[in-house]
Amino acid sequence: MPGQSISEAMFFPVFKAAAAEGAAVELKIRLLAGKIPALQKHAHKIVLGDIEAGLIEHFGAALSDEDKGTLRLCRQLRNKIIHSDFRAARDKLSELGIASAPGGVVKIDLPVVTVAEVTRKIEAAKAGTEGVLVAATLSTDAGGVFGWFLEAGQSGDFAKASDAFKSAAEIVDRLADIEET
């Protein structure tokens, strides 16, 4: 892709995979709700949590507390990934019991862009005297969307989110099998 940085080329594919898996879970939930007469009216509601609540009520006995939590947290995780709130996405992964190690991305302010200043700042960052670890920031705003995009990609958060969404999809598939029998 012209104009794309190396870091974007490295992490866009895993970001897109995570976003796609999250969207696929939403579609599966909506399709399942559409198959159940009592839930059909909810299948196209804007708030996915309402549809999820209907499914949980309908399939309550077939869902463990862990299943219910996975569906809820994966819905929230999907929102964080799609809306580029990667710091909050890491928190949702943690709530799912999925550990993330810092990716080591450092945010450096560079008000004057010269070769000498860039070189100096990079050397200072390597020495730990310049910049801030993005993983230590408390919000995507503080670390910057690009910084958190790099952090999430470098740490494997996007791949972990994809796996979490696949687990949620397996739960929905299991419920669909129950409904068909």
Side-chain angles (χ1 to χ4, degrees), residues 122-142:
I122 290 173
E123 291 304 318
K126 286 180 183 177
T129 59
E130 181 73 40
V132 62
L133 281 172
V134 171
T137 63
L138 299 178
S139 70
T140 299
D141 285 343

Side-chain angles (χ1 to χ4, degrees), residues 55-77:
L55 288 174
I56 287 172
E57 183 178 325
H58 184 80
F59 290 104
L63 290 166
S64 68
D65 287 343
E66 183 179 348
D67 290 340
K68 294 171 188 174
T70 297
L71 291 173
R72 177 181 54 80
L73 290 168
C74 280
R75 171 181 42 83
Q76 295 169 356
L77 175 61

Side-chain angles (χ1 to χ4, degrees), residues 26-58:
E26 177 174 345
L27 179 59
K28 283 178 176 254
I29 287 171
R30 290 180 184 281
L31 291 172
L32 178 56
K35 291 163 92 177
I36 302 166
L39 298 176
Q40 286 173 349
K41 64 183 178 224
H42 300 290
H44 197 252
K45 285 207 175 210
I46 292 174
V47 180
L48 187 61
D50 293 343
I51 302 166
E52 175 190 307
L55 288 174
I56 287 172
E57 183 178 325
H58 184 80

Side-chain angles (χ1 to χ4, degrees), residues 72-90:
R72 177 181 54 80
L73 290 168
C74 280
R75 171 181 42 83
Q76 295 169 356
L77 175 61
R78 179 195 58 84
N79 287 342
K80 302 308 177 194
I81 295 288
I82 288 174
H83 296 290
S84 302
D85 192 352
F86 305 128
R87 174 66 176 95
R90 177 169 286 174

